[in-house]
């Protein structure tokens, strides 16, 4: 059985009534090295966000309870970065604020090149740090390095495991405690891991809700691992991919990766996505967007979607269901009757969504939409899938969020809405 087949067999959809409950004890993974003697740990902790803050908080509490296990803690953070419109705001690193509150020594580094730590340490722990810890530093530490990763490695290696887990529609996730590899991110020995099938993911869970679920047990797994001495070599892989007698890795089907989320991941590919995918990306990533042509000023504006919902097509009014059927027939075989009436879709409201350029011209998709009976929302039918996208609010570039009907008004034209295809535009 391949790793993909093994994972699929283990993952059954959690009931919709399940809720995201922060703080629930969801870790009971196997560990190695129980009872191994360890020198008192002098930890160099590297991190950035709230996920790493929880780990540092747990380590600090453990150092007070058990100073024989954790003798000292020092913190490494990256410099604060400009953010926001015009890059005028400086966003403080959450871990730095926490370390200041805990009165821990802080080192600010954006590179480890030629850096010599000012104090002796014997273990490096990196959690959501984003900067590769070089072998030179790992070799300086008697126990090397550890990392806590919010996925069931080897799946979703990379900086955005929660987002990609949700985007792929997974029903379970997990936590992995691993060593820091000398060559690549998330390729270390797995020392502890959430057992299969993993932590249930409720339907419609957001990234923040999933983070709230995995953060407490991740911090617990880290401290529990230190108590058990899993950082003391020799290390043995105990993850599901290595401990299952049924596991047989298929080199042609590598585990899914979790690359950094970029603005392009939020850009709506109208001709490729379904209504459900647009709604999922909005829930998971937020700020999904597309550019359209303002018919009054003939200018291109970016439009972000606000509140959206994928609504079953069967729940739509009859005229929308009829139009969607015509849209799909026309898309597949172009056999719409020549005497089609306006009710058949030849006289509907459209938006010219820009999907790139071709030969110096904008490449647009004329996308039909209907006004919802609430007078504020719009309904966008899709060629594929069994749902229609209900958009309640939009944010037009340079304006505040407002009702979709009002926001889209200056971008709408009236025309034949049946031809869902990309076409070069002269404007």
């Amino acid at each position: 059985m391949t790793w993909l087949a093994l994972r699929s067999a283990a993952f059954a959809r959690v009931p919709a009534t399940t809720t995201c409950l922060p703080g629930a004890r969801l870790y009971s993974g196997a560990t190695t090295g129980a009872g191994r003697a360890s020198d008192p740990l002098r930890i160099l902790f590297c991190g950035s966000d709230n996920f790493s803050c929880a780990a540092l908080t747990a380590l600090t509490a453990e150092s007070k309870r058990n100073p024989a296990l954790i003798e000292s803690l020092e913190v490494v953070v990256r410099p604060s970065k400009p953010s926001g419109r015009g890059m005028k705001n400086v966003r403080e690193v959450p871990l730095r604020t926490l370390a200041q509150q805990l009165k821990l020594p802080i080192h600010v580094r954006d590179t480890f090149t030629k850096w010599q730590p000012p104090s002796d340490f014997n273990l490096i722990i990196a959690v959501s740090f984003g900067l590769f810890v070089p072998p030179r530093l790992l070799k300086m530490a008697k126990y090397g390095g550890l990392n806590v990763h919010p996925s069931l490695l080897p799946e979703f290696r990379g900086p955005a495991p929660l987002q990609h887990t949700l985007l792929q529609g997974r029903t379970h996730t997990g936590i992995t405690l691993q060593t820091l590899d000398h060559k690549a991110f998330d390729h270390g020995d797995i020392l502890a891991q959430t057992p299969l099938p993993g932590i249930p993911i409720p339907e419609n869970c957001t990234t923040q809700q999933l983070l709230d679920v995995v953060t407490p047990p991740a911090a617990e797994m880290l401290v529990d691992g230190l108590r058990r001495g899993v950082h003391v070599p020799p290390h043995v892989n105990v993850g599901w991919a290595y401990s299952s007698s049924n596991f047989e890795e298929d080199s042609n089907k590598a585990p899914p990766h979790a690359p950094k989320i970029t603005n392009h991941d939020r850009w709506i590919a109208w001709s490729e996505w379904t209504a459900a995918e647009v709604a999922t990306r909005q829930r998971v990533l937020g700020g999904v967007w597309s550019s359209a042509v303002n018919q009054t000023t003939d200018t291109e504006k970016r439009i972000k979607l606000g509140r959206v919902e994928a609504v079953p097509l069967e729940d739509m009014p009859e005229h929308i269901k009829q139009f969607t059927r015509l849209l799909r027939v026309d898309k597949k075989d172009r056999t719409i009757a020549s005497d089609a009436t306006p009710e058949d879709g030849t006289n509907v409201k459209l938006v010219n969504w820009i999907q790139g350029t071709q030969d110096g011209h904008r490449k647009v998709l004329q996308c039909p939409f209907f006004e919802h009976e609430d007078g504020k929302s719009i309904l966008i039918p899709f060629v594929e899938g069994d749902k229609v996208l209900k958009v309640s609010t939009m944010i037009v570039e340079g304006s505040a969020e407002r009702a979709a009907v009002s926001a889209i008004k200056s971008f709408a034209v009236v025309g034949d809405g049946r031809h869902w295809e990309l076409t070069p535009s002269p404007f």
Side-chain angles (χ1 to χ4, degrees):
M1 180 181 290
T2 67
W3 71 268
L4 281 175
L6 178 62
R7 298 286 281 129
S8 299
F11 284 6
R13 166 59 66 185
V14 61
T17 53
T18 303
T19 57
C20 293
L21 296 175
R25 183 179 177 85
L26 298 171
Y27 158 58
S28 59
T31 56
T32 62
R36 289 179 182 170
S38 169
D39 294 345
L41 295 175
R42 299 179 299 279
I43 297 173
L44 189 66
F45 185 89
C46 310
S48 60
D49 59 10
N50 291 331
F51 185 68
S52 56
C53 283
L56 180 61
T57 299
L59 290 172
T60 303
E62 182 66 14
S63 70
K64 295 178 180 179
R65 285 192 300 264
N66 188 3
L69 175 62
I70 301 177
E71 179 179 295
S72 65
L73 281 161
E74 296 194 20
V75 175
V76 179
V77 297
R78 301 180 70 180
S80 301
K81 303 287 186 180
S83 63
R85 184 179 294 273
M87 307 299 283
K88 296 180 180 179
N89 300 321
V90 177
R91 183 174 56 190
E92 191 60 77
V93 178
L95 189 72
R96 183 174 186 175
T97 302
L98 175 63
Q100 290 171 339
Q101 294 171 350
L102 296 174
K103 295 181 171 53
L104 298 175
I106 300 171
H107 310 283
V108 181
R109 305 294 306 172
D110 210 17
T111 177
F112 284 122
T113 302
K114 298 181 179 180
W115 184 59
Q116 184 67 29
S119 60
D120 185 28
F121 60 93
N122 57 13
L123 177 66
I124 300 174
I125 298 178
V127 182
S128 295
F129 186 47
L131 190 64
F132 189 74
V133 180
R136 174 179 64 86
L137 291 182
L138 294 175
K139 291 176 182 178
M140 292 173 62
K142 178 177 180 178
Y143 300 116
L146 297 180
N147 165 260
V148 182
H149 188 78
S151 81
L152 289 168
L153 291 173
E155 290 195 330
F156 300 112
R157 293 177 172 127
L162 299 183
Q163 292 91 333
H164 287 281
T165 295
L166 293 173
L167 289 176
Q168 290 204 14
R170 292 302 180 89
T171 62
H172 290 72
T173 188
I175 302 152
T176 301
L177 177 63
Q178 62 173 332
T179 61
L180 290 178
D181 189 72
H182 285 222
K183 296 182 179 180
F185 284 108
D186 301 326
H187 281 73
D189 295 328
I190 294 177
L191 307 179
Q193 191 171 64
T194 307
L196 291 178
I199 301 170
I201 301 175
E203 292 189 70
N204 300 319
C205 195
T206 66
T207 302
Q208 182 59 53
Q209 288 172 327
L210 187 55
L211 178 63
D212 291 341
V213 168
V214 300
T215 296
E220 178 186 346
M221 179 182 286
L222 174 60
V223 172
D224 181 74
L226 296 181
R227 290 171 181 165
R228 293 170 179 263
V230 300
H231 56 285
V232 180
H235 302 136
V236 179
N237 278 309
V238 298
W240 66 268
Y242 303 93
S243 60
S244 172
S245 59
N246 293 323
F247 176 73
E248 178 183 339
E249 185 159 3
D250 187 340
S251 59
N252 295 321
K253 295 181 179 179
H257 188 51
K260 180 180 179 180
I261 298 298
T262 67
N263 202 34
H264 183 73
D265 295 308
R266 298 180 174 90
W267 177 76
I268 304 171
W270 292 100
S271 60
E272 300 174 12
W273 294 2
T274 64
E277 186 166 1
V278 175
T280 296
R281 294 218 176 201
Q282 179 69 346
R283 170 171 52 84
V284 175
L285 305 180
V288 296
W289 65 279
S290 190
S291 294
V293 179
N294 186 304
Q295 300 302 312
T296 303
T297 62
D298 193 29
T299 56
E300 180 178 331
K301 290 285 188 179
R302 177 174 294 194
I303 301 176
K304 289 184 179 181
L305 303 190
R307 297 195 306 275
V308 302
E309 179 185 0
V311 182
L313 178 60
E314 62 185 25
D315 294 342
M316 290 293 100
E318 187 58 37
H319 71 283
I320 295 181
K321 288 192 285 188
Q322 179 184 357
F323 172 82
T324 304
R325 287 194 293 268
L326 290 170
L327 180 70
R328 293 176 178 181
V329 169
D330 188 61
K331 175 69 176 178
K332 293 177 180 178
D333 58 22
R334 307 297 183 196
T335 57
I336 294 292
S338 59
D339 59 348
T341 65
E343 288 74 19
D344 292 324
T346 58
N347 191 27
V348 299
K349 291 183 178 180
L350 311 166
V351 174
N352 290 316
W353 295 111
I354 299 170
Q355 300 286 277
T357 59
Q358 180 177 331
D359 299 328
H361 297 293
R362 297 179 182 127
K363 190 166 58 174
V364 303
L365 179 71
Q366 288 197 321
C367 177
F369 72 92
F370 297 88
E371 293 186 9
H372 191 271
E373 60 184 9
D374 64 10
K376 299 178 181 179
S377 308
I378 63 173
L379 299 166
I380 304 176
F382 281 71
V383 173
E384 303 294 339
D386 58 356
K387 290 182 171 60
V388 170
L389 187 68
K390 179 184 178 182
V391 183
S392 298
T393 61
M394 289 178 161
I395 306 169
V396 178
E397 181 181 349
S399 303
E401 184 172 2
R402 52 182 167 156
V405 165
S406 174
I408 206 68
K409 185 176 181 180
S410 60
F411 297 87
V413 296
V414 176
D416 188 341
R418 300 166 301 164
H419 305 301
W420 185 285
E421 61 182 343
L422 290 171
T423 57
S425 170
F427 41 78

